[in-house]
């Protein structure tokens, strides 16, 4: 008996994506925290909506108003505060634009804004202001970005970033790398993605097949800020990526009230290593308007970094950096 499917089933990850929690009050109900409703900002939520996948919500602690995962996603009144020095384009991306969707700041590497979409909205993200609609590389079938890469033979590594590049459907990624395969000087593909952590369903058989078939070396830089962001589903996604030959690194942002304690950062490094991931960068916050309440001052950041060096093997200590517009690399603190 043959059954004919009129519409091919959507990948499961796209269903999980659509099923994300978007109403702050629903989130607080799920977490048994109705009292926190008074701290929610409707203005902040209107400007940059709450969005958080249910699997990530499941890793938050019920009844804990200080949960480090919750703090990363809940739109709060603190965001309405105007803080001097916190701007709309915090990292000078507008000035470093090479072609539509291409940002070229550092030698040998070019960053492609693959898409503006993301499965989660982190409150400290510069996406809350950057004009992505006109600026993505995939929108024009990658044409302009690929032409730019062909013309720049010094580029050895292409970074897919965003937004979250893995929010693109796999055929759209295949379309890009099929064309990239013809550009011999690009030997490394780096993917900056938070999806293995916030929506591990995304690491499905189709995606893994794509990764295994690539000609380039592949580096996946995940983004986790706290040990609680890992669970069995995340571990399974990361193991599958490693089995596909991917080098796994993590970048974190140093965030007040989330991971600005030596214990939290130590636990994070150990937890990611247990999942086969090495720490890469610990970023000082980009000074994005609305995110000032996440800032940790440099003296405290230095103190934390010193404690990590004392407690952990060198390979589990992330590099503490800041992004300074116009500098030729991330700037060590
Ligand atoms: C951060 C960044 C990179 C990558 O820098 P690495 O130090 O190699 O991780 C490349 N291009 C741009 C535009 C960046 O912002
Ligand atoms: S996952 Fe990254 S791109 Fe997406 S909202 Fe968070 S910080 Fe921004």
């Amino acid at each position: 008996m043959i059954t004919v499917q009129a519409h091919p089933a959507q990948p499961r990850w796209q269903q999980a994506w659509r099923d994300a929690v978007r109403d702050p009050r629903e989130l607080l109900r799920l977490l048994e925290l109705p009292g926190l409703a008074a701290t929610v900002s409707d203005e902040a939520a209107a400007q940059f909506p709450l969005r958080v996948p249910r699997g990530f919500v499941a890793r938050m602690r019920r009844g804990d108003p200080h949960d480090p995962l919750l703090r990363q996603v809940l739109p709060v009144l603190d965001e309405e505060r105007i803080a001097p020095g916190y701007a709309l384009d915090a990292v000078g991306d507008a000035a470093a634009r090479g072609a539509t969707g291409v940002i070229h700041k550092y030698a040998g590497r070019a960053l492609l804004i693959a898409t503006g979409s993301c499965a989660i909205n982190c409150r400290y993200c510069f996406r809350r202001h950057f004009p992505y609609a006109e600026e993505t590389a995939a929108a024009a079938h990658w044409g302009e970005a690929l032409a730019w890469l062909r013309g720049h033979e010094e580029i050895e590594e292409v970074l897919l970033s965003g937004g979250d590049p893995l929010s693109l459907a796999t055929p759209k990624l295949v379309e890009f790398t099929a064309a990239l395969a013809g550009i011999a000087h690009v030997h490394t593909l780096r993917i900056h993605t938070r999806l293995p952590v916030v929506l591990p369903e995304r690491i499905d058989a189709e995606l893994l097949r794509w990764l295994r078939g690539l000609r380039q070396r592949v580096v996946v830089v995940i983004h986790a800020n706290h040990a609680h962001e890992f669970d069995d589903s995340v571990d399974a996604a990361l193991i599958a990526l490693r089995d596909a030959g991917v080098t796994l690194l993590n970048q974190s942002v140093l965030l007040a009230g989330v991971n600005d304690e030596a214990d939290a950062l130590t636990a994070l490094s150990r937890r990611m290593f247990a999942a086969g991931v090495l720490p890469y960068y610990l970023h000082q916050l980009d000074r994005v308007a609305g995110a000032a309440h996440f800032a940790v001052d440099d003296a405290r950041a230095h103190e934390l970094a010193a404690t990590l060096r004392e407690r952990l093997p060198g390979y589990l200590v992330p590099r503490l950096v800041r992004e300074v517009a116009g500098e030729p690399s991330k700037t060590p603190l």
Side-chain angles (χ1 to χ4, degrees), residues 80-88 285-293 295:
E80 296 178 17
R81 212 174 70 226
I82 310 268
Y86 284 75
L88 299 185
L285 187 73
D286 293 331
R287 296 201 176 99
V288 174
H293 57 293

Side-chain angles (χ1 to χ4, degrees), residues 48 116-127 132 161-164 193-195 198 223 253:
F48 188 54
S117 311
C118 195
I120 189 167
N121 284 341
C122 307
R123 305 315 300 174
Y124 50 86
C125 182
F126 60 86
R127 272 172 73 241
Y132 277 108
S161 186
D164 198 308
T193 174
R194 189 146 157 74
L195 286 189
V198 301
H223 171 187
V253 182

Side-chain angles (χ1 to χ4, degrees), residues 103 105-106 109 111 159 190 280-281 323 330:
I103 298 181
K105 287 187 186 174
Y106 304 150
R109 288 148 291 169
L111 183 151
L159 285 75
R190 192 195 315 182
Y280 185 40
Y281 284 138
E323 180 140 1
K330 308 281 186 250

Side-chain angles (χ1 to χ4, degrees), residues 109-151:
R109 288 148 291 169
L111 183 151
L112 267 55
I113 297 172
T115 167
S117 311
C118 195
I120 189 167
N121 284 341
C122 307
R123 305 315 300 174
Y124 50 86
C125 182
F126 60 86
R127 272 172 73 241
R128 53 190 300 158
H129 308 296
F130 200 70
Y132 277 108
E134 329 75 273
E135 288 289 342
T136 71
H141 294 277
W142 310 98
E144 229 189 284
L146 287 160
W148 188 94
L149 288 171
R150 276 187 208 101

